[in-house]
Amino acid sequence: MALEMKQWEHGTDSDDDQDEIKTSVVLRSNISNVPVAFQIDVKRKTGVCSDCLLLQVTNCQSNVIFQSFLRHGSTSRHRSFNCPSDILKTPLVTVTVFSVQTKEVNKRVWYKVKNGGKTLSKLVGGVTINYMDITLQPLGTYLDLLAADTKQVPYQVDVISISPRRYMLTDLKHKEKHTDTFIITLYQIHPPASWIMFHRGSATTYEIPFDLKPATQYKLQLFRVRTEHANDDMYIGYSHSTVTTFITHMTKYEVLELYNKAAHFLSNSPPTLTNISHFYRNKSEEYFSNIMRTDGVMHKYDKNWGGDQASTLNKQVQGLFFSAAVDPVTRLPPDVSYFGPLRLHVPTNVLLNNNINMYFSDFYCHYVNHKVQLVFTVKGSPTDDFCRQRLVLVDQTNNPFLTRVRCGFTEIVRVTMNVTVEIFYTEDVPVRAMVCRSNVFFTTTKQKGNALVMVNGIPKNKNCRICNLDCFLLAHAMIS
C-alpha cells in the first residue's frame, strides 16, 4: 500500500469568507490487481498557525495503526510511501488528523497540536474507493481524538517530578518485537492545550522537553511503533496505551493561594484556640509491637496521596503523620480514630522547637470538616531545603493554625479548633527511647472504619469551593 498527498488547494469558506486549506491524501493498496484508492480530504482555516499534519489510520479489528506526517512545502505535494497492506484489511477504519506546529529547543523536537478531526470509514472487502471529508476543529475536541477502544494496553509508565515545573516519564519499555519508538500524546485539561512527542531508542526514561503548568490535570497516551521510513516520518504500531491521568504539583505560588484560602476560612469564624501539651499518632497494636521488637524506631515513609492531589509532597517527601486535633467539647484528643486503636502521645516541644521549621502545605476537606496540613522539618536538612523552595514558611509565633506562645518561663502550644490540624513530621521518631520518659505515653481509643483504607490517603473533595485552587474549580466546571 502507498500513501500519496496529492496537493494543497486554497479555497474560500462561504460562511465567514475566510480562506480554507484543503489537503487531499490518498491511501493506495497493492493487494488487488484493480487500482483502488482510499481518499481523505482534510479542511482547515488558514488562520491556524501550523506547519504540518499528523495522520493516523487505525485498523479497528487488528489494531494496526499507520501514522505519518504530511509536511507543507513544494517537496511534499507528491509523495508516496510503501507500508503494510493490512492497514485497510477491515470493514472499518478510524482516521484521525492533527494539525500541529513544530517546536524545537536544544535540538529536541516536539509538536503542539492546534486542532484536529476524526471520522470512521466503512470499507468493502478491505479495498474500495471511499472519499472522506475531515474538517479540523478547535482544540476542545482533542479528548475525543485520543484512541479509545477495547484493545488499549495499560502500559506501566510513571510520571515523576524532576523540578517544580519539569516532569519525566519512566519505565518506558518496548515489549513488542520490532518497535523502536514511542509516540506520546499529552493533553492539558484547563486551559486546553496538547502536544505530541517522539521518544526513540532504548532509554526507559523520557524528559518532557517543556515546562508543565503547575497544579493542572493532564491526560497521557502512548503508542509503541516501529519506524518505516525515518525521512518520511512514517510509523506502524500494533498497540497503544490506556489514557493515564496525572496532576502536576503545586509551586509555592499555588500553596500560598491555599494558605490564603485557609486563613480566610478561619477569619469568617470566631477564633477558638485551645492549649495542647502533646501531638499524637494512632496506629494498630501490631504496628507499635513491630517497632518495639526491632530497633525501637518509628521510621518515616513516603507521603501518601491524601489531601490535595497536586501536593508537592506526594511520594516526594518522607515523614510521619501526627495530629493536633481536639474534641471541641472536652478539648482533649477525640476518643475514636480511623487509623488504629493504639495512640502514642508525644510532647509538643519534642517535635516543635527552635531547631524546627514549620511550613504550610495543604488545606482540604472530605465533604465535612476542613483540614490544614503543616510540615515540620529540621532546619538545614535536605527535606527543609526541598520544602523551602515549594511550601510556605510559617511564623511559629504568629499564624492562625498552630502557635508557640511564651508564658512566663514556660512555653505553650495553641491550636485552632475551627479546622483539623495535621502534622507531617519529616524525621524518624525513636519510640522505645522516648517512652522511658514520663511525658511520652500510650493510650487506647475506639477504632472507627477500616484503617487499611486510609493507608494510601483519601483525595480531597474536588467540588468544594472553599478549599480547592481556583484553577481546579475552573477545570472541573469545564469538564462537567
Side-chain angles (χ1 to χ4, degrees), residues 276-292:
I276 59 171
S277 59
H278 291 71
F279 300 122
Y280 60 91
R281 175 176 171 83
N282 274 76
K283 299 295 285 185
S284 67
E285 293 181 6
E286 181 183 8
Y287 172 85
F288 286 113
S289 295
N290 288 337
I291 290 174
M292 295 305 186

Side-chain angles (χ1 to χ4, degrees), residues 263-322:
H264 178 72
F265 176 74
L266 289 177
S267 69
N268 289 331
S269 302
T272 307
L273 298 171
T274 189
N275 298 346
I276 59 171
S277 59
H278 291 71
F279 300 122
Y280 60 91
R281 175 176 171 83
N282 274 76
K283 299 295 285 185
S284 67
E285 293 181 6
E286 181 183 8
Y287 172 85
F288 286 113
S289 295
N290 288 337
I291 290 174
M292 295 305 186
R293 285 197 304 265
T294 54
D295 59 0
V297 176
M298 190 159 54
H299 293 281
K300 59 188 179 181
Y301 49 83
D302 287 347
K303 158 75 172 62
N304 62 21
W305 294 98
D308 200 304
Q309 298 296 281
S311 172
T312 190
L313 302 181
N314 293 342
K315 302 301 180 180
Q316 296 281 325
V317 171
Q318 293 189 326
L320 297 164
F321 274 111
F322 287 81

Side-chain angles (χ1 to χ4, degrees), residues 63 65 143 146-157 159 182-186 218-224 239-246:
N63 206 43
I65 300 177
L143 277 179
L146 293 177
D149 54 54
T150 58
K151 297 188 178 183
Q152 292 173 332
V153 179
Y155 293 176
Q156 298 300 314
V157 59
V159 184
F182 278 98
I183 298 179
I184 304 164
T185 62
L186 181 67
Y218 287 85
K219 291 186 180 293
L220 179 77
Q221 189 171 40
L222 298 94
F223 298 83
R224 287 193 184 100
S239 76
H240 59 277
S241 74
T242 53
V243 178
T244 299
T245 299
F246 70 95

Side-chain angles (χ1 to χ4, degrees), residues 248-390:
T248 52
H249 296 150
M250 292 181 278
T251 63
K252 185 180 291 188
Y253 178 85
E254 287 78 32
V255 177
L256 180 59
E257 182 184 338
L258 272 188
Y259 178 96
N260 290 332
K261 281 179 174 285
H264 178 72
F265 176 74
L266 289 177
S267 69
N268 289 331
S269 302
T272 307
L273 298 171
T274 189
N275 298 346
I276 59 171
S277 59
H278 291 71
F279 300 122
Y280 60 91
R281 175 176 171 83
N282 274 76
K283 299 295 285 185
S284 67
E285 293 181 6
E286 181 183 8
Y287 172 85
F288 286 113
S289 295
N290 288 337
I291 290 174
M292 295 305 186
R293 285 197 304 265
T294 54
D295 59 0
V297 176
M298 190 159 54
H299 293 281
K300 59 188 179 181
Y301 49 83
D302 287 347
K303 158 75 172 62
N304 62 21
W305 294 98
D308 200 304
Q309 298 296 281
S311 172
T312 190
L313 302 181
N314 293 342
K315 302 301 180 180
Q316 296 281 325
V317 171
Q318 293 189 326
L320 297 164
F321 274 111
F322 287 81
S323 180
V326 297
D327 184 283
V329 176
T330 66
R331 301 205 172 197
L332 296 172
D335 59 359
V336 297
S337 171
Y338 289 96
F339 301 96
L342 195 56
R343 177 175 289 166
L344 172 67
H345 300 257
V346 179
T348 55
N349 65 347
V350 173
L351 303 184
L352 183 61
N353 49 60
N354 290 333
N355 192 41
I356 297 294
N357 274 331
M358 183 166 72
Y359 295 92
F360 172 91
S361 67
D362 205 353
F363 178 46
Y364 66 99
C365 75
H366 294 142
Y367 302 94
V368 183
N369 299 323
H370 276 88
K371 300 180 180 182
V372 163
Q373 191 177 100
L374 302 175
V375 180
F376 293 176
T377 64
V378 173
K379 292 180 178 179
S381 66
T383 304
D384 184 52
D385 293 339
F386 179 93
C387 292
R388 185 177 291 273
Q389 297 177 44
R390 294 166 173 82

